Amino acid sequence: MSAATMIFLCAAGLCAAAILIFSTKSGHFLRCALPSVLSGVGALFAVNILSRFTGVCIPVNWISLPVSAVFSLPGVIALILSQLV
C-alpha cells in the first residue's frame, strides 16, 4: 500500500470519527444519521442505475458502500471523481 493511500485512509477515518462524534453529541443520532445514510446509499445506486447513460459506474463493494453511507453525497462525489482521474 502506498503512502498516499495510507494518508487518504487515515484522513477518511478521522473524518468518519468526527462525523460520528458530532452526531452522537447532538442527542439525536438516528434522526441525524439515518437521512444522511439513506441519501448516500441512494445516490450510489442512482449513479449505478444511470451508468448506461453517463458511462460512470461505481461498483458496490466493501469500500464504496461504507464511504457512501458515512460521507453521504460528498462521499459519492469523491468516488466519482476518483474514478474519473
Coordinates of all heavy atoms in Angstrom, one line a residue:
M1 N 0.9 -1.2 0.0 CA 0.0 0.0 0.0 C 0.9 1.2 0.0 O 1.8 1.3 0.8 CB -0.9 0.0 1.2 CG -2.1 0.8 1.1 SD -3.2 0.8 2.5 CE -3.9 -0.8 2.4
S2 N 0.6 2.2 -0.9 CA 1.4 3.4 -1.0 C 1.2 4.3 0.1 O 0.2 4.3 0.9 CB 1.2 4.0 -2.3 OG -0.1 4.6 -2.4
A3 N 2.1 5.3 0.3 CA 2.0 6.3 1.3 C 0.7 7.2 1.1 O 0.1 7.6 2.1 CB 3.2 7.1 1.4
A4 N 0.5 7.5 -0.1 CA -0.7 8.4 -0.4 C -2.0 7.7 0.0 O -2.9 8.3 0.5 CB -0.7 8.7 -1.9
T5 N -2.1 6.4 -0.3 CA -3.3 5.6 0.1 C -3.4 5.6 1.6 O -4.5 5.7 2.1 CB -3.2 4.2 -0.5 OG1 -3.0 4.2 -1.9 CG2 -4.4 3.4 -0.2
M6 N -2.3 5.4 2.3 CA -2.4 5.4 3.8 C -2.8 6.7 4.3 O -3.6 6.8 5.2 CB -1.0 5.0 4.4 CG -0.7 3.5 4.1 SD -1.8 2.4 4.9 CE -1.5 2.7 6.6
I7 N -2.3 7.8 3.8 CA -2.7 9.1 4.2 C -4.2 9.4 3.9 O -4.9 9.9 4.8 CB -1.8 10.2 3.5 CG1 -0.4 10.1 4.0 CG2 -2.4 11.6 3.7 CD1 0.6 11.0 3.3
F8 N -4.7 8.9 2.8 CA -6.1 9.1 2.4 C -7.0 8.3 3.4 O -8.0 8.8 3.8 CB -6.3 8.7 1.0 CG -7.8 8.7 0.6 CD1 -8.4 9.9 0.3 CD2 -8.5 7.5 0.5 CE1 -9.8 9.9 0.0 CE2 -9.8 7.5 0.2 CZ -10.5 8.7 -0.1
L9 N -6.6 7.1 3.7 CA -7.4 6.2 4.6 C -7.4 6.8 6.0 O -8.4 6.8 6.7 CB -6.9 4.8 4.6 CG -7.1 4.0 3.3 CD1 -6.5 2.6 3.3 CD2 -8.6 3.9 3.0
C10 N -6.3 7.3 6.4 CA -6.2 7.9 7.8 C -7.1 9.2 7.8 O -7.8 9.4 8.8 CB -4.8 8.2 8.2 SG -3.8 6.8 8.5
A11 N -7.0 10.0 6.8 CA -7.9 11.2 6.8 C -9.3 10.8 6.7 O -10.2 11.5 7.4 CB -7.5 12.1 5.6
A12 N -9.7 9.8 5.9 CA -11.1 9.4 5.8 C -11.5 8.8 7.2 O -12.7 9.1 7.6 CB -11.2 8.4 4.7
G13 N -10.7 8.1 7.9 CA -11.0 7.6 9.2 C -11.3 8.7 10.2 O -12.2 8.6 11.0
L14 N -10.4 9.7 10.2 CA -10.6 10.8 11.1 C -11.9 11.6 10.8 O -12.6 12.0 11.7 CB -9.4 11.7 11.0 CG -8.1 11.2 11.6 CD1 -6.9 12.2 11.3 CD2 -8.3 11.0 13.1
C15 N -12.2 11.8 9.5 CA -13.4 12.5 9.2 C -14.6 11.7 9.6 O -15.6 12.2 10.1 CB -13.5 12.7 7.7 SG -12.3 14.0 7.1
A16 N -14.6 10.3 9.4 CA -15.7 9.5 9.8 C -15.9 9.5 11.3 O -17.0 9.6 11.9 CB -15.5 8.1 9.4
A17 N -14.8 9.5 12.1 CA -14.8 9.6 13.5 C -15.4 10.9 14.0 O -16.2 11.0 14.9 CB -13.4 9.4 14.1
A18 N -15.0 12.0 13.3 CA -15.6 13.3 13.7 C -17.1 13.4 13.4 O -17.8 13.9 14.2 CB -14.8 14.4 12.9
I19 N -17.5 12.8 12.3 CA -18.9 12.8 12.0 C -19.7 12.0 13.0 O -20.8 12.5 13.5 CB -19.2 12.2 10.6 CG1 -18.7 13.2 9.5 CG2 -20.6 11.9 10.3 CD1 -18.6 12.6 8.1
L20 N -19.2 10.9 13.4 CA -19.9 10.1 14.4 C -19.9 10.8 15.8 O -20.9 10.8 16.5 CB -19.2 8.7 14.6 CG -19.5 7.8 13.4 CD1 -18.6 6.5 13.5 CD2 -20.9 7.5 13.3
I21 N -18.8 11.4 16.2 CA -18.7 12.1 17.5 C -19.7 13.3 17.5 O -20.5 13.4 18.5 CB -17.3 12.6 17.7 CG1 -16.4 11.4 18.1 CG2 -17.3 13.6 18.9 CD1 -14.9 11.8 18.1
F22 N -19.7 14.1 16.5 CA -20.6 15.3 16.5 C -22.1 14.8 16.4 O -23.0 15.5 16.9 CB -20.3 16.2 15.3 CG -19.0 17.0 15.6 CD1 -18.0 17.0 14.6 CD2 -18.8 17.6 16.8 CE1 -16.8 17.6 14.9 CE2 -17.6 18.3 17.0 CZ -16.6 18.3 16.1
S23 N -22.4 13.8 15.6 CA -23.8 13.4 15.5 C -24.3 12.7 16.8 O -25.5 12.8 17.2 CB -24.0 12.4 14.4 OG -23.3 11.2 14.5
T24 N -23.4 12.0 17.6 CA -23.8 11.5 18.9 C -24.0 12.6 19.9 O -24.8 12.4 20.8 CB -22.9 10.4 19.3 OG1 -21.5 10.9 19.4 CG2 -22.9 9.2 18.5
K25 N -23.2 13.6 19.9 CA -23.3 14.7 20.8 C -24.6 15.5 20.6 O -25.0 16.2 21.6 CB -22.1 15.6 20.8 CG -20.8 15.0 21.4 CD -19.7 16.0 21.5 CE -18.6 15.4 22.2 NZ -17.6 16.4 22.6
S26 N -25.2 15.4 19.5 CA -26.4 16.2 19.2 C -27.6 15.6 20.0 O -28.6 16.3 20.2 CB -26.7 16.2 17.7 OG -27.1 15.0 17.3
G27 N -27.5 14.4 20.4 CA -28.5 13.8 21.2 C -29.6 13.1 20.3 O -30.5 12.4 20.8
H28 N -29.5 13.3 19.0 CA -30.4 12.7 18.1 C -29.7 11.9 17.0 O -29.7 12.3 15.8 CB -31.3 13.7 17.5 CG -32.1 14.6 18.4 ND1 -33.1 14.1 19.2 CD2 -31.9 15.8 18.8 CE1 -33.6 15.0 20.0 NE2 -32.8 16.1 19.8
F29 N -28.9 10.9 17.4 CA -28.0 10.2 16.5 C -28.8 9.6 15.3 O -28.4 9.9 14.2 CB -27.3 9.1 17.2 CG -26.4 8.3 16.3 CD1 -25.2 8.9 15.8 CD2 -26.7 7.0 16.0 CE1 -24.4 8.2 15.0 CE2 -25.8 6.3 15.1 CZ -24.7 6.9 14.6
L30 N -29.8 8.9 15.6 CA -30.6 8.2 14.5 C -31.3 9.2 13.6 O -31.4 9.1 12.4 CB -31.5 7.2 15.0 CG -30.9 5.9 15.5 CD1 -32.0 4.9 16.0 CD2 -30.1 5.2 14.4
R31 N -31.8 10.3 14.2 CA -32.5 11.3 13.5 C -31.6 12.1 12.6 O -32.0 12.5 11.5 CB -33.2 12.3 14.4 CG -34.2 13.2 13.7 CD -34.9 14.1 14.7 NE -35.6 13.4 15.7 CZ -36.1 14.0 16.8 NH1 -36.0 15.3 16.9 NH2 -36.7 13.3 17.7
C32 N -30.3 12.2 13.0 CA -29.3 12.9 12.1 C -28.7 11.9 11.1 O -28.4 12.3 10.0 CB -28.2 13.5 13.0 SG -28.7 14.8 14.1
A33 N -28.4 10.7 11.5 CA -27.6 9.8 10.7 C -28.4 9.1 9.6 O -28.0 8.9 8.5 CB -26.9 8.8 11.6
L34 N -29.7 8.7 10.0 CA -30.5 7.9 9.0 C -30.7 8.6 7.7 O -30.5 8.0 6.7 CB -31.8 7.5 9.7 CG -32.6 6.4 9.0 CD1 -31.7 5.2 8.8 CD2 -33.8 6.2 9.7
P35 N -31.2 9.9 7.7 CA -31.4 10.5 6.3 C -30.1 10.6 5.6 O -30.1 10.5 4.3 CB -31.9 11.9 6.7 CG -32.5 11.8 8.0 CD -31.7 10.7 8.7
S36 N -29.0 10.9 6.3 CA -27.7 11.0 5.6 C -27.2 9.7 5.0 O -26.8 9.6 3.8 CB -26.6 11.5 6.6 OG -25.4 11.6 6.0
V37 N -27.4 8.6 5.7 CA -27.0 7.3 5.2 C -27.9 6.9 4.0 O -27.4 6.4 3.0 CB -27.1 6.2 6.4 CG1 -27.0 4.8 5.8 CG2 -26.1 6.5 7.4
L38 N -29.2 7.1 4.2 CA -30.1 6.8 3.1 C -29.8 7.6 1.8 O -29.9 7.1 0.7 CB -31.6 6.9 3.5 CG -32.0 5.9 4.6 CD1 -33.5 6.3 5.0 CD2 -31.9 4.5 4.1
S39 N -29.5 8.9 1.9 CA -29.3 9.7 0.8 C -27.9 9.3 0.1 O -27.8 9.3 -1.1 CB -29.3 11.2 1.1 OG -28.2 11.5 1.9
G40 N -26.9 8.9 0.9 CA -25.7 8.5 0.3 C -25.8 7.2 -0.4 O -25.3 7.0 -1.5
V41 N -26.4 6.2 0.2 CA -26.6 4.9 -0.4 C -27.5 5.0 -1.7 O -27.3 4.4 -2.7 CB -27.2 3.9 0.6 CG1 -27.5 2.6 -0.1 CG2 -26.1 3.6 1.7
G42 N -28.6 5.9 -1.5 CA -29.5 6.1 -2.7 C -28.7 6.8 -3.8 O -28.9 6.4 -5.0
A43 N -27.8 7.7 -3.5 CA -27.0 8.3 -4.6 C -26.1 7.3 -5.3 O -25.9 7.4 -6.5 CB -26.2 9.5 -4.0
L44 N -25.5 6.4 -4.5 CA -24.7 5.4 -5.0 C -25.4 4.5 -6.0 O -24.9 4.2 -7.1 CB -24.0 4.5 -3.9 CG -23.1 3.4 -4.3 CD1 -21.9 3.9 -5.0 CD2 -22.8 2.5 -3.1
F45 N -26.6 4.1 -5.6 CA -27.4 3.2 -6.5 C -27.9 4.0 -7.7 O -28.1 3.5 -8.8 CB -28.5 2.6 -5.8 CG -28.1 1.4 -4.9 CD1 -28.1 1.5 -3.5 CD2 -27.6 0.3 -5.5 CE1 -27.6 0.5 -2.7 CE2 -27.1 -0.8 -4.7 CZ -27.1 -0.7 -3.3
A46 N -28.2 5.3 -7.5 CA -28.6 6.2 -8.7 C -27.5 6.3 -9.7 O -27.8 6.3 -10.9 CB -29.1 7.5 -8.2
V47 N -26.3 6.4 -9.2 CA -25.2 6.5 -10.1 C -25.0 5.2 -10.9 O -24.8 5.2 -12.1 CB -23.9 6.8 -9.4 CG1 -22.6 6.6 -10.3 CG2 -23.9 8.3 -8.9
N48 N -25.2 4.1 -10.2 CA -25.2 2.8 -10.9 C -26.3 2.6 -11.9 O -26.1 2.0 -13.0 CB -25.1 1.7 -9.9 CG -23.8 1.5 -9.3 OD1 -22.8 1.8 -9.9 ND2 -23.7 1.1 -8.1
I49 N -27.5 3.0 -11.6 CA -28.6 2.9 -12.5 C -28.4 3.8 -13.7 O -28.7 3.4 -14.9 CB -29.9 3.2 -11.8 CG1 -30.3 2.1 -10.8 CG2 -31.1 3.4 -12.7 CD1 -31.4 2.5 -9.8
L50 N -27.9 5.0 -13.5 CA -27.7 5.9 -14.6 C -26.4 5.7 -15.4 O -26.0 6.5 -16.3 CB -27.8 7.3 -14.1 CG -29.1 7.7 -13.6 CD1 -29.1 9.1 -12.9 CD2 -30.2 7.7 -14.6
S51 N -25.6 4.7 -15.0 CA -24.3 4.4 -15.6 C -24.4 4.1 -17.1 O -23.5 4.5 -17.8 CB -23.6 3.3 -14.9 OG -24.2 2.1 -15.1
R52 N -25.5 3.6 -17.6 CA -25.5 3.3 -19.0 C -25.7 4.6 -19.8 O -25.4 4.6 -21.0 CB -26.7 2.3 -19.3 CG -28.0 2.9 -19.2 CD -29.1 1.9 -19.6 NE -29.3 1.0 -18.4 CZ -30.4 0.3 -18.2 NH1 -31.3 0.3 -19.1 NH2 -30.5 -0.5 -17.2
F53 N -26.2 5.6 -19.2 CA -26.3 6.9 -19.9 C -25.1 7.8 -19.7 O -24.8 8.6 -20.6 CB -27.6 7.7 -19.4 CG -28.8 6.9 -19.6 CD1 -29.5 6.4 -18.4 CD2 -29.3 6.6 -20.8 CE1 -30.7 5.7 -18.6 CE2 -30.5 5.9 -20.9 CZ -31.2 5.4 -19.8
T54 N -24.4 7.7 -18.6 CA -23.3 8.6 -18.3 C -22.0 8.0 -18.5 O -21.0 8.7 -18.7 CB -23.4 9.0 -16.8 OG1 -23.3 7.9 -16.0 CG2 -24.7 9.8 -16.5
G55 N -21.9 6.7 -18.5 CA -20.6 6.0 -18.6 C -19.8 5.9 -17.3 O -18.7 5.4 -17.3
V56 N -20.3 6.4 -16.2 CA -19.6 6.4 -14.9 C -20.3 5.3 -14.1 O -21.5 5.4 -13.8 CB -19.7 7.7 -14.2 CG1 -19.1 7.7 -12.9 CG2 -19.0 8.8 -15.1
C57 N -19.6 4.3 -13.7 CA -20.1 3.2 -12.9 C -19.3 3.1 -11.6 O -18.0 2.9 -11.7 CB -20.2 1.9 -13.7 SG -20.9 0.6 -12.7
I58 N -19.9 3.1 -10.5 CA -19.2 2.8 -9.2 C -19.7 1.4 -8.7 O -20.8 1.3 -8.4 CB -19.5 3.9 -8.1 CG1 -19.1 5.3 -8.6 CG2 -18.8 3.6 -6.9 CD1 -19.6 6.4 -7.7
P59 N -18.8 0.5 -8.7 CA -19.2 -0.9 -8.3 C -19.5 -0.8 -6.8 O -18.9 -0.2 -6.0 CB -18.0 -1.8 -8.5 CG -16.9 -0.8 -8.6 CD -17.4 0.5 -9.1
V60 N -20.6 -1.5 -6.4 CA -21.0 -1.6 -5.0 C -20.1 -2.7 -4.3 O -20.3 -3.9 -4.7 CB -22.5 -1.9 -4.8 CG1 -22.8 -2.1 -3.4 CG2 -23.3 -0.9 -5.5
N61 N -19.2 -2.3 -3.5 CA -18.3 -3.2 -2.8 C -18.1 -2.8 -1.4 O -18.7 -1.9 -0.9 CB -17.0 -3.4 -3.6 CG -16.3 -2.1 -3.8 OD1 -16.5 -1.2 -3.1 ND2 -15.5 -2.1 -4.9
W62 N -17.1 -3.4 -0.7 CA -16.9 -3.1 0.7 C -16.3 -1.8 0.9 O -16.2 -1.3 2.1 CB -16.1 -4.3 1.4 CG -14.7 -4.4 0.8 CD1 -14.3 -5.1 -0.3 CD2 -13.5 -3.8 1.4 NE1 -13.0 -5.0 -0.4 CE2 -12.5 -4.2 0.6 CE3 -13.3 -3.0 2.5 CZ2 -11.2 -3.8 0.8 CZ3 -12.0 -2.7 2.7 CH2 -10.9 -3.1 1.9
I63 N -15.8 -1.1 -0.1 CA -15.3 0.2 0.1 C -16.3 1.3 -0.3 O -16.5 2.3 0.5 CB -14.0 0.4 -0.8 CG1 -12.9 -0.5 -0.3 CG2 -13.6 1.9 -0.8 CD1 -11.7 -0.5 -1.1
S64 N -17.0 1.1 -1.4 CA -17.9 2.2 -1.9 C -19.2 2.3 -1.0 O -19.6 3.4 -0.8 CB -18.3 1.9 -3.3 OG -19.0 0.7 -3.5
L65 N -19.7 1.2 -0.5 CA -20.9 1.3 0.3 C -20.7 2.0 1.6 O -21.4 2.9 2.0 CB -21.5 -0.1 0.5 CG -22.9 -0.2 1.0 CD1 -23.8 0.5 0.1 CD2 -23.3 -1.6 1.2
P66 N -19.6 1.7 2.4 CA -19.4 2.4 3.6 C -19.1 3.9 3.4 O -19.5 4.8 4.1 CB -18.2 1.7 4.3 CG -18.2 0.4 3.8 CD -18.7 0.5 2.4
V67 N -18.3 4.2 2.3 CA -18.0 5.6 2.0 C -19.2 6.4 1.7 O -19.4 7.5 2.2 CB -17.0 5.6 0.8 CG1 -16.9 7.1 0.3 CG2 -15.6 5.2 1.3
S68 N -20.1 5.8 0.9 CA -21.4 6.5 0.6 C -22.3 6.6 1.8 O -23.0 7.5 1.9 CB -22.1 5.8 -0.6 OG -22.5 4.5 -0.2
A69 N -22.2 5.6 2.7 CA -23.1 5.6 3.9 C -22.6 6.7 4.9 O -23.4 7.4 5.5 CB -23.2 4.3 4.5
V70 N -21.3 6.7 5.1 CA -20.8 7.6 6.2 C -20.7 9.0 5.6 O -21.0 10.0 6.3 CB -19.4 7.1 6.7 CG1 -18.7 8.1 7.6 CG2 -19.6 5.8 7.4
F71 N -20.2 9.2 4.4 CA -19.9 10.6 3.9 C -21.0 11.1 3.0 O -20.9 12.2 2.5 CB -18.6 10.6 3.2 CG -17.4 10.3 4.0 CD1 -16.7 9.1 3.9 CD2 -17.0 11.1 5.0 CE1 -15.6 8.8 4.7 CE2 -16.0 10.9 5.9 CZ -15.2 9.7 5.7
S72 N -22.1 10.3 2.8 CA -23.3 10.7 2.1 C -22.9 11.2 0.7 O -22.1 10.6 0.0 CB -24.0 11.7 2.9 OG -25.3 11.9 2.3
L73 N -23.5 12.3 0.2 CA -23.4 12.8 -1.1 C -21.9 13.2 -1.4 O -21.4 12.9 -2.5 CB -24.3 13.9 -1.4 CG -25.8 13.5 -1.5 CD1 -26.7 14.7 -1.7 CD2 -26.0 12.5 -2.6
P74 N -21.2 13.9 -0.5 CA -19.8 14.2 -0.8 C -19.0 12.9 -1.0 O -18.0 12.9 -1.8 CB -19.4 15.0 0.4 CG -20.6 15.6 1.0 CD -21.7 14.6 0.7
G75 N -19.3 11.9 -0.3 CA -18.6 10.6 -0.5 C -18.8 10.0 -1.9 O -17.9 9.5 -2.5
V76 N -20.0 10.1 -2.3 CA -20.3 9.6 -3.7 C -19.6 10.4 -4.7 O -19.1 9.9 -5.7 CB -21.8 9.5 -3.9 CG1 -22.2 9.1 -5.3 CG2 -22.5 8.5 -2.9
I77 N -19.6 11.7 -4.5 CA -19.0 12.6 -5.5 C -17.5 12.4 -5.5 O -16.8 12.3 -6.5 CB -19.2 14.1 -5.1 CG1 -20.7 14.4 -5.4 CG2 -18.3 15.1 -5.9 CD1 -21.2 15.7 -4.9
A78 N -16.9 12.1 -4.3 CA -15.5 11.8 -4.2 C -15.2 10.4 -5.0 O -14.1 10.3 -5.6 CB -15.0 11.7 -2.8
L79 N -16.1 9.5 -4.8 CA -15.9 8.2 -5.6 C -15.9 8.4 -7.1 O -15.2 7.8 -7.8 CB -16.9 7.2 -5.1 CG -16.8 6.6 -3.7 CD1 -18.0 5.8 -3.3 CD2 -15.6 5.7 -3.6
I80 N -16.9 9.3 -7.5 CA -16.9 9.6 -8.9 C -15.7 10.3 -9.4 O -15.1 9.9 -10.5 CB -18.2 10.4 -9.2 CG1 -19.5 9.6 -9.0 CG2 -18.2 10.9 -10.7 CD1 -20.7 10.4 -9.0
L81 N -15.2 11.2 -8.7 CA -14.0 12.0 -9.1 C -12.8 11.1 -9.0 O -11.9 11.2 -9.9 CB -13.8 13.2 -8.2 CG -14.8 14.3 -8.3 CD1 -14.6 15.4 -7.4 CD2 -14.8 14.8 -9.8
S82 N -12.7 10.2 -8.1 CA -11.5 9.3 -8.0 C -11.5 8.3 -9.2 O -10.5 7.9 -9.7 CB -11.5 8.5 -6.7 OG -12.6 7.6 -6.7
Q83 N -12.7 8.0 -9.8 CA -12.8 7.2 -10.9 C -12.5 7.9 -12.2 O -11.9 7.4 -13.2 CB -14.1 6.5 -11.0 CG -14.2 5.4 -12.0 CD -15.4 4.5 -11.8 OE1 -16.4 5.0 -11.4 NE2 -15.3 3.3 -12.1
L84 N -12.8 9.2 -12.3 CA -12.5 10.0 -13.5 C -11.1 10.4 -13.6 O -10.6 10.7 -14.7 CB -13.4 11.2 -13.5 CG -14.9 11.0 -13.6 CD1 -15.7 12.3 -13.5 CD2 -15.2 10.2 -14.9
V85 N -10.4 10.5 -12.5 CA -9.0 10.9 -12.5 C -8.1 9.9 -12.9 O -8.1 8.7 -12.9 CB -8.6 11.5 -11.1 CG1 -7.1 11.8 -11.1 CG2 -9.3 12.7 -10.8

